[in-house]
Amino acid sequence: MDSRDSSSSSTPNRDGSSAVSAAGDEEASALAKDAALCFQSRKFAECVDVLNQLKSKKEKDPKVLHNIAIAEFFRDGCSNPKKLLEVLNNVKKRSEELALASREQVESGNNVGNKVTSGSKGIGTNGASIIYTDEFGTSVASLNMAIIWFHLHEYAKALSILEPLYQNIEPIDETTALHICHLLLDVVLACHDASKSADVLNYLEKAFGVANVSQGENGNTAAQQPLNVVGKSASEPNSSLVSDVSCSDLAASVNASESPLSRTSSEDRLDEMFSTLDIGGQNLARRAGLASANDLSRITADRSVSGVDLKLKLQLYKVRFLLLTRNIKLAKREIKLAMNIARGRDSSMALFLKAQLEYARGNHRKAIKLLMASSNQTDAAMSSMFNNNLGCIYYQLGKYHTSAVFFSKALSNCSSLEKEKPLKQLTFSQDKSLLITYNCGLQYLACGKPLLAARCFQKASLIFYKRPLLWLRLAECCLMAAEKGLVKGSSSPSDKSEIRVSVIGKGRWRKLLIENGISRNGHVDSVEKDVWALGGDGQPKLSLPLARQCLYNALHLLNCSELSNSKSVLPSNSSLEENESSDGASSKNSNHRNLPGTDFKASTMSAALINSNGDLKETKGGTNPESIQNSISYYEDICRRENQMIKQALLANLAYVELELENPLKALSAARSVLELPGCPRIYVFLGHVYVAEALCLLNKPKEAAEHLSVYLSGESNVELPFGPEDCEQWRVEKHVDCEEANSGAAAAAAKNPSPEGLQGFMFLKPEEARGTLYANLAVVSAIQGDLDRAHQFVTQALSLMPNSSEAAMTAIYVDLMLGKSQEAVSKLKHCSHVRFLPSSQQLNKSSL
Amino acid sequence: MGKKMLNLEEQCKIVNLLKSSSEQKSIEETVTDFFTNSKLRHFNVCYSLSLLLQDKMMLSSTERLVAFAILHRSYSSQKSAANPFISFLVNAACDDGAEKYERAFILQLLSSSNSNSSKEFLKQSASDYIKNFDPSSQNFPQREQLQKQYFEKVHPEPYSCLLQNTAVKNLLADPDVPCGCDANSAELDSQPGAKSKLGSGDRDEALSGLIANLSLEGLIPHWIRPVPPRFPVDEELVWLNPDNSHELQWDQGMCADTSRGAAVRDLIAKALKGALAPNQQEQVLVELANDPKLVYHCGLTPRKLPELVENNPLIAVEVLTKLINSPEIADYFTVLVNMDMSLHSMEVVNRLTTAVELPKEFVRMYITNCISSCENIKDKYMQNRLVRLVCVFLQSLIRNRIIDVKDLFIEVQAFCIEFSRIREAAGLFRLLKTLE
């Protein structure tokens, strides 16, 4: 680039070999055009041929190599994305090397000893290689790499490429920049990153939405600017269009500056300055921060992206953002707008989004209708999504078996997609089977099939491994399996709830031997080192140690995300800052660095203004920056609350698992953490107290244990309800509350069928049973402290509240025996509904003696 | 399943032991026979026996004596206090409800630990011992005395759980006899050859059944450990929407015309060296306006900015305005702040403030630099000039509300006072006063 200032006649040395004749250059550009045409008409084999000719002329030109790689990838049926990634990475490296080389050449040539520049050394070279190098630009190659990662569902990797591109987006040409923004939006939406989505949306709206859409038949700005610059429109009446305002502002300053140019006397300059300043002052009122918005706006060079398409796309992104942040009210409005724009176009995406909206609002019937309207049943990819979404709806309706049917249909759609030959462009990306598999896992869990569920979650972990919930679900699979006796070394569920009594002898010699039957399980497995040991069928062996491992994973992930959340308040330019020279200037620099980011936010207002100017009727009261900011903070609140809930569940589960594994110390610390969580719901407080008390009992601290339980004591021996039915209700309903305070739709739906929806997954103690549990455990604590009378009192209460509890019955029998009332114990045993009398197993026969 | 206390061999051993107690073998012999197999788990065996002994009916008198002897012998190599069953033995010895001969036997066992005391009593069979027992020959010491004697050095309890420690015997008698019958009556025992009566039973059968089923664990109170509820499924189900098709992109820049903006590049290069003619200047502005990306390719770098500012401030303003969203703008600002103070740089900054929104920090820094430049300048004439310029500049900034005076009040006030001799400084001071 700079090399060209000095010698404009010479061809730039883009491929390292400098001397290429002008004729050769022309020929090359003709070939390039041919290749592009072939590519556009999807004749990839031909395209590769042309490119190879080109390659012989321009060896090692990274752009030629890049296009060859792309064309070959298509020609070969998109079969090897990883290989393409490798090639693109090499191309990128090569470009950067060339760019660096040319930059060094320039810098060394022009290095005039300047006092000023010495103070700011190193500035020009950091991270800027992307920017000033047109011919060595790597933005397309980077974009393509990000596209591949995106299709491979590797969002973090895609993001790591897109973020720097987005930070430096200004110099990138429109088509590529637009694509970068769209891809980035898809990625951050997939990552559920609301604030980043809002940022990109904001930028898109300003940079593309304004110039292209709002001004209707565009081109105004482009046409006016040259006029303005020469000062002809300086006196133009103040138009409502922002671009005009700032253009005239610009013109004014140019205008004013024309005169000083012609003068040279330094004394006079001062007066000139006065006049300039005055003009600046006049313009100030009109400027009002709008100029920067205009500066952002891009004139879309690529006319193939029609304004309406772009607008629809943007609108749909907005809807997705609002759905993500669960701002149902606004989403409803925006989807309406999107449907209007989409009129007469293929709008399956709009329909799906609308269905999702209705699903989120709990209008399941309407959601189904919309899905039906959109579904293109011939397309396997579409029908897999269609079936999956129906599965979601039926799950929410509590019809797990119907949902299972749809999920498995969706999966078979996916597998038929895989078989399709030849592979469509990036078919591998349309494979959503892992997402559907996750849904399957949830559905199996709801149906009480922990082994199948675990298998699903394990498969889905390929993409969900960073989500704490996945690990919580896996742990739940383990717990459920243990409960059902499916875990190695655990007793069958009937064993657990039964008291087994061996009957020995006959007649007056008859004895009853109570087996200490409710034996705890799990520790058998703890010997196994490798908790991830797979069974013969590649299935994880569910066990309590595995549950513990999963819970620790989830807690770790949760803590990480909390940490990064608190960090992300700071600008994300840290990597840039690190590169900076560590002298005193860096602190000032870092402040400037933030400028583009803050600028976006500051000028959001103007963007909204423009928007409402362009579409006065439709966007009246539409997404203004405040509401976007509101939905972000609302969403952040939701996420915080959700994380809080997950944390409660994780710690409670962990305490439970540690108790099962006979680690009272660890159980104690987990259970204590539950109690320390702020705003912990009463159910978890109850669990926390019960677990803490048990752990303390196991640690021989019955007194402290008693203290934890007596939180619920009122008076001498009356236990209060630890939580009410409303706590269970609240616990369940909280998730259905949405942005609208009085969303009649959702409320009505919840009111209509509260039972199946409400009951889903909530198989916990009823409040009265919880109370009985407390009585029973208080009885235990009293008994081991030797206060048998109190124990008797408590356990009698416990049995009256939960006559079916074998634990309470055992404690009651224990207390009777301790009190020497063996007759009563025997009669209790005989009246207990959960006792199984076994004939004595006579291992000894006479012959063996 | 509860853990069985005894394996098959141990069970046989015990059954045989109990059987042989009625034979005319000496107790000593019986006990020694019992221990010939070293594989026996002493604790388990003894614990089973102690459980059987607790039931007064279960074992015959001779069996009881042998069992006590085993309990004692199992741990006789150690001090009596180390015997886990010592308290059981002491209690049995002090049990007023027990037979005198049994208590005497236990006392003799306990005292036999002292090497000098006689073990003669073990040389007879159990039945002989009972037969020959003379109640008057034995005095029964108080429990406290025995405890003092045998518990002397109590080991600290090894750690064990209270819940377990509080275990109670999990064996209950549940005699199945007709109403009104005495369950302890021997009449009910089935007689060989006789027709079995209701409520009758075979003691041996019950005994071997017990021995087979005894478990180490006693009955303990049961804690209820609620299973935590499953986490509610909220937004967790994945809803699928059609994707935007992100297709791989062709690089249009391949072999593209690189002469883009060559003229501007040339002009900018010239502009670094000297002022451009008005028509040249206009050309630069027009071309930059025509192609919004051109500014990124015009060959300007932050390092070159000072030259452009000094030679062509208006072009510098235009370029910087266009670069305002560039990621490199911060570098440009840094250079601008750090370059020598001059009319041109001030002009550029002033124009920029009206054209774009500058970062507050930058403006502040710039003003601070202005003021310190004024103070440091040696040449009086130049100083006057610069001060006037700075004053005008500041007034403009204040009037246009580019800066908040409060941020710089003290600094600016000091500046005004220092140069109060200059008209513009006085004016600025007045302006400050009106704002106060």
Side-chain angles (χ1 to χ4, degrees), chain B residues 139-179:
Chain B
N139 65 321
F140 297 99
Q142 291 295 304
R143 183 188 297 260
E144 287 74 27
Q145 191 190 335
L146 286 175
Q147 282 174 349
K148 214 185 248 170
Q149 196 172 345
Y150 297 109
F151 290 10
E152 44 188 24
K153 256 193 260 160
V154 182
H155 287 257
E157 281 271 320
Y159 173 80
S160 72
C161 178
L162 257 185
L163 271 176
Q164 306 289 339
N165 281 355
T166 51
V168 71
K169 193 180 63 156
N170 58 346
L171 187 63
L172 293 175
D174 181 32
D176 179 23
V177 294
C179 274

Side-chain angles (χ1 to χ4, degrees), chain A residues 2 4 132 144 151 170 186 277 287 438-439 473 476 511-512 514 588-589 691 694 700 777 814, chain B residues 55 162 166 170 172 224-226 231 236 238 246 249 258 265 293 304 328 334 350 354 365:
Chain A
D2 292 71
R4 276 173 276 153
Y132 291 95
N144 280 333
H151 286 306
E170 279 306 312
D186 274 315
L277 293 172
R287 193 173 57 82
Y438 187 84
N439 288 346
R473 293 297 180 199
E476 284 178 348
K511 306 280 176 195
L512 300 178
I514 307 169
K588 314 166 206 161
N589 279 352
Y691 294 155
E694 182 175 5
N700 290 348
N777 290 345
Y814 171 86
Chain B
D55 187 328
L162 257 185
T166 51
N170 58 346
L172 293 175
I224 300 183
R225 184 186 299 161
F231 195 73
E236 203 182 344
V238 188
H246 291 286
Q249 295 294 298
T258 48
R265 273 197 295 277
K293 295 290 167 206
K304 294 175 188 165
E328 282 210 320
T334 310
N350 185 46
T354 57
M365 287 255 300

Side-chain angles (χ1 to χ4, degrees), chain A residues 447-503:
Chain A
C447 293
K449 295 174 183 165
L451 295 181
L452 290 172
R455 199 190 295 184
C456 290
F457 290 132
Q458 199 203 2
K459 276 188 200 162
S461 69
L462 279 175
I463 46 176
F464 284 119
Y465 63 97
K466 277 199 169 168
R467 283 202 197 168
L469 256 184
L470 171 90
W471 297 103
L472 174 56
R473 293 297 180 199
L474 263 175
E476 284 178 348
C477 290
C478 294
L479 289 188
M480 186 185 274
E483 231 180 316
K484 289 179 176 270
L486 300 169
V487 167
K488 201 180 109 197
S490 75
S491 45
S492 75
S494 60
D495 285 350
K496 277 195 101 176
S497 59
E498 258 181 5
I499 303 173
R500 293 155 67 92
V501 177
S502 301
V503 183

Side-chain angles (χ1 to χ4, degrees), chain A residues 270-459:
Chain A
L270 195 59
D271 299 327
E272 279 313 325
M273 194 145 175
F274 276 111
S275 65
T276 343
L277 293 172
D278 282 342
I279 289 170
Q282 276 169 15
N283 280 341
L284 196 79
R286 281 185 285 157
R287 193 173 57 82
L290 293 173
S292 59
N294 183 59
D295 286 319
L296 268 172
S297 74
R298 291 164 174 269
I299 302 112
T300 311
D302 185 359
R303 300 285 163 184
S304 71
V305 184
S306 87
V308 183
D309 277 345
L310 190 61
K311 185 168 184 179
L312 177 59
K313 226 174 189 178
L314 203 66
Q315 191 65 26
L316 291 177
Y317 276 121
K318 210 185 286 175
V319 173
R320 281 169 66 193
F321 163 77
L322 292 169
L323 280 173
L324 170 71
T325 56
R326 301 180 211 177
N327 191 339
I328 303 291
K329 203 176 191 173
L330 262 188
K332 199 176 155 194
R333 192 184 295 158
E334 296 294 326
I335 188 73
K336 214 177 211 171
L337 188 51
M339 298 298 263
N340 281 341
I341 302 170
R343 215 177 281 135
R345 282 159 200 272
D346 169 41
S347 56
S348 56
M349 186 151 167
L351 280 168
F352 266 70
L353 283 172
K354 190 154 190 216
Q356 188 182 7
L357 173 73
E358 296 301 338
Y359 165 77
R361 297 175 69 206
N363 292 340
H364 295 123
R365 189 173 297 184
K366 202 165 176 192
I368 294 175
K369 233 187 223 168
L370 284 163
L371 282 178
M372 295 289 203
S374 69
S375 176
N376 175 3
Q377 296 285 359
T378 54
D379 181 40
M382 283 298 273
S383 44
S384 84
M385 288 184 261
F386 169 77
N387 284 322
N388 172 73
N389 293 348
L390 279 183
C392 292
I393 293 172
Y394 280 104
Y395 185 101
Q396 295 290 7
L397 288 169
K399 294 176 178 163
Y400 303 127
H401 295 284
T402 319
S403 85
V405 171
F406 281 111
F407 285 141
S408 69
K409 260 194 194 171
L411 280 177
S412 71
N413 289 144
C414 281
S415 59
S416 76
L417 199 65
E418 270 166 47
K419 282 174 207 138
E420 239 169 63
K421 294 272 179 183
L423 286 171
K424 271 195 214 155
Q425 193 246 340
L426 295 175
T427 299
F428 59 91
S429 79
Q430 292 167 5
D431 182 19
K432 310 213 163 167
S433 56
L434 288 179
L435 302 168
I436 303 168
T437 305
Y438 187 84
N439 288 346
C440 279
L442 286 176
Q443 171 260 320
Y444 280 131
L445 204 55
C447 293
K449 295 174 183 165
L451 295 181
L452 290 172
R455 199 190 295 184
C456 290
F457 290 132
Q458 199 203 2
K459 276 188 200 162

Side-chain angles (χ1 to χ4, degrees), chain A residues 718-729:
Chain A
N718 185 38
V719 170
E720 291 165 351
L721 282 179
F723 52 87
E726 75 279 357
D727 287 306
C728 311
E729 209 62 41

